[in-house]
Structure formats: C-alpha cells, structure tokens
Amino acid sequence: LVTTPVGDRGGVNGDAFRAQPAYEGVPGPERLIAKFGTPGVRGVAVFQGWYEREVRFYEQFAAETPLRTPRAHAVALGRPGECVLLLEDLAPRVQGDQEASCSAEQALAVARAIGTMHARWWGSPQIEAAEWDLELGVEAVLEEEVGEAAVLARAVPEPDGRIVAERHLGPADQV
C-alpha cells in the first residue's frame, strides 16, 4: 500500500490520503481516497457531528444525490471521533483550498451546485426519517449552506485574487 497526503495539509477536518493498494486475488480500484478522524479536531468534530454526518451521508444519501459524488467503497464509524471512509479517487479533480479561496466562477459553480442539492433534498421524507442527529445534522447543514449560497451569489474577486462577499444578503430567497 502506497499513500500520499491529499492536498498540502492532508485533509481539512481529518486525515486524508491517496492510497494505491496492492491486491491479491480479486482486483480492486487502482487508487482510493482514505479519510480518517484526526485527534487534533476530534472534540469539535464529535460535538458538531462532522464524522457521523459524512459517514451517514455516504450510507444513506450519496447514491441519490444529483451531484457527482465519490463512490464509497467502505465507510465506518467507531467510538466518538473515529471514522474511516474509503472513497473513489476523483483525480484529476483537486481538493479546494479554503485559505487560498477560489475564483468568482468557482464560487458561482458552488452556489449552483448547492441549489441543485437543496432542490433534491429540501423537505424530503428521507431526511426527516434519518435516525442520526438532525439537530446538528442534515437540516443544520442545509440551512448553513443556504446562507452560504446567499453570500456566494454576491461573491466578488479582490485585486489579490481572494473572493469576498459583497454583502450578506440574508435568506437565500433574496438571491
């Protein structure tokens, strides 16, 4: 097994590696992305349900999501703060860099993608039936992303290339 960190930091809220496994017998994918909970952020991750939400998303919603989503080869939760995700490697796509920001075109593409995602899941009985913590789970994420979409819709590039919101617009229906 050969591994290299994904991106400069090897993950934002956990450890992420590009893995090239060697197989005996039945062949498998040439490359995978392996994601793990990280000790340095586990307190926040557990409190806010980051790892559980990601694992549950792949277990319950990824197959029906309208956005291009990596195929999950395996996902698992352990004790609080422990998770493993083995995902399809979508290279040559690259992980975004929250410190370097993005172009205005990329911000608009994200806003449109969030709209597509919300159109699919808003008011969905599947979301309502999810047994995991919805208070910090899907509904909170959707509400947070709607707010972010409102800001992204008015994102403007600065001379140094950073993207800054022109102003906070409020509810997404004002976009």
Side-chain angles (χ1 to χ4, degrees):
L1 177 69
V2 176
T3 63
T4 55
V6 172
D8 294 336
R9 294 184 303 272
V12 177
N13 298 313
D15 292 324
F17 300 92
R18 178 165 281 115
Q20 293 178 288
Y23 298 95
E24 291 182 14
V26 179
E30 289 182 30
R31 290 188 321 256
L32 297 166
I33 298 298
K35 297 177 72 176
F36 307 94
T38 301
V41 296
R42 281 191 180 145
V44 173
V46 171
F47 175 74
Q48 294 186 353
W50 296 347
Y51 301 144
E52 182 178 11
R53 286 194 314 238
E54 186 169 15
V55 167
R56 300 292 183 226
F57 167 80
Y58 280 103
E59 288 176 339
Q60 299 174 14
F61 302 111
E64 295 182 49
T65 294
L67 304 179
R68 177 63 173 100
T69 304
R71 177 177 173 243
H73 295 282
V75 296
L77 287 170
R79 294 183 308 244
E82 295 179 343
C83 72
V84 175
L85 297 99
L86 298 177
L87 305 173
E88 172 187 13
D89 185 353
L90 295 180
R93 293 175 177 94
V94 296
Q95 176 176 320
D97 186 331
Q98 65 189 27
E99 292 176 2
S101 194
C102 62
S103 69
E105 293 79 19
Q106 290 169 321
L108 184 57
V110 167
R112 287 182 174 144
I114 289 170
T116 299
M117 186 76 131
H118 290 269
R120 166 60 182 94
W121 294 109
W122 199 262
S124 165
Q126 290 171 276
I127 298 291
E128 297 298 322
E131 295 179 7
W132 37 295
D133 186 1
L134 290 176
E135 187 62 32
L136 290 174
V138 176
E139 290 176 343
V141 171
L142 291 177
E143 289 172 10
E144 181 180 312
E145 287 178 355
V146 167
E148 290 173 10
V151 173
L152 287 173
R154 294 288 185 178
V156 293
E158 291 289 309
D160 65 2
R162 292 179 305 121
I163 300 296
V164 198
E166 192 172 73
R167 64 185 175 90
H168 186 347
L169 300 173
D173 57 38
Q174 294 178 13
V175 175

